């Protein structure tokens, strides 16, 4: 991949992680709702058992009320179990994303640190690790915005060359 794309991933990682956290939070809330519903169904099944003791249940109906309540409870237990597994999977994906991000960040920091011009380092760190705009950086390094854009392109090319050396 090009250096710009990889460095942009580093810059936007917090947003990616925030999306994953939001998804996990939504699934957790859904899980809590399902667990409450499961408790309610268990309570209904228990009450039905107590009131139906000693009664003869007609076999002409497809499903008696107790059987229906138990069936609903079993279905909800499966939904809860599936949701718990989905949340665990999302958390694993989040951990994997974090590990990949850390590895990518370390790799690109070490590559950027070896660049020949201090302006390249200042521009790339400012843009991709701090989140500054090229306009802000141009004021800091006392270059025109246009020249800063040009240097940014050169810096990315230098990263790509250094990356080839790093990989070999």
């Amino acid at each position: 991949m090009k250096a710009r794309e990889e460095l942009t991933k580093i810059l936007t990682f917090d947003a990616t992680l925030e999306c994953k956290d939001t998804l996990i939070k939504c699934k957790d809330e859904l899980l809590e709702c399902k667990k409450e519903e499961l408790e309610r169904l268990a309570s209904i099944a228990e009450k039905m058992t107590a009131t139906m003791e000693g009664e003869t249940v007609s076999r002409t109906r497809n499903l008696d009320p107790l059987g229906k309540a138990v069936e609903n409870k079993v279905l909800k237990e499966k939904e809860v179990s599936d949701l718990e597994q989905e949340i665990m999977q999302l958390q694993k994906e989040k951990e994997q994303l974090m590990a990949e991000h850390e590895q990518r960040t370390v790799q690109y920091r070490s590559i950027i640190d070896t660049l020949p011009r201090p302006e390249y380092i200042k521009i790339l760190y400012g843009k991709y690790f701090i989140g500054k705009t090229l306009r802000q950086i141009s004021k800091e390094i006392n270059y025109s915005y246009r020249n800063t854009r040009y240097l940014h392109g050169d810096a990315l090319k230098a990263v790509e060359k250094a990356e080839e050396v790093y990989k070999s």
Side-chain angles (χ1 to χ4, degrees):
M1 251 187 219
K2 289 188 165 189
R4 180 188 306 259
E5 293 169 1
E6 286 296 320
L7 289 168
T8 301
K9 285 181 184 178
I10 291 170
L11 180 64
T12 59
F13 177 74
D14 288 339
T16 303
L17 198 58
E18 189 175 313
C19 288
K20 198 62 90 169
D21 282 338
T22 301
L23 184 58
I24 289 171
K25 184 179 176 185
C26 289
K27 296 289 183 177
D28 276 336
E29 290 173 3
L30 180 60
L31 179 63
E32 288 306 311
C33 290
K34 297 280 185 185
K35 284 181 177 179
E36 286 177 17
E37 190 175 358
L38 184 60
E39 288 174 13
R40 185 183 62 78
L41 289 170
S43 174
I44 289 171
E46 191 175 299
K47 287 177 185 174
M48 291 181 104
T49 304
T51 58
M52 294 184 77
E53 282 183 5
E55 289 186 24
T56 306
V57 179
S58 169
R59 296 185 188 262
T60 58
R61 285 192 244 163
N62 288 342
L63 199 57
D64 61 277
L66 179 60
K68 184 70 172 167
V70 170
E71 180 184 345
N72 285 341
K73 182 178 179 275
V74 169
L75 289 174
K76 289 301 168 195
E77 285 173 343
K78 171 129 177 56
E79 286 179 21
V80 165
S81 175
D82 290 347
L83 202 49
E84 286 173 336
Q85 288 177 353
E86 189 175 346
I87 290 170
M88 286 187 342
Q89 181 62 32
L90 286 169
Q91 288 171 335
K92 285 179 186 175
E93 289 173 14
K94 178 184 166 186
E95 289 170 8
Q96 183 178 355
L97 276 174
M98 290 172 66
E100 289 171 2
H101 172 71
E102 184 62 31
Q103 182 181 5
R104 185 181 307 119
T105 301
V106 168
Q107 176 186 356
Y108 276 95
R109 281 182 194 264
S110 65
I111 290 172
I112 290 170
D113 289 345
T114 64
L115 295 180
R117 293 186 60 183
E119 294 91 350
Y120 290 173
I121 296 169
K122 182 111 174 144
I123 290 169
L124 294 177
Y125 265 97
K127 180 159 178 63
Y128 296 106
F129 295 104
I130 300 171
K132 294 179 180 178
T133 65
L134 288 178
R135 285 204 190 279
Q136 292 171 321
I137 297 167
S138 68
K139 290 177 184 174
E140 290 177 8
I141 62 174
N142 294 320
Y143 282 95
S144 69
Y145 172 68
R146 183 176 180 188
N147 198 15
T148 303
R149 285 181 44 212
Y150 177 77
L151 285 172
H152 175 253
D154 285 350
L156 290 174
K157 288 175 188 172
V159 166
E160 288 176 2
K161 286 180 184 176
E163 187 177 21
E164 289 173 11
V165 172
Y166 182 83
K167 286 183 177 180
S168 58

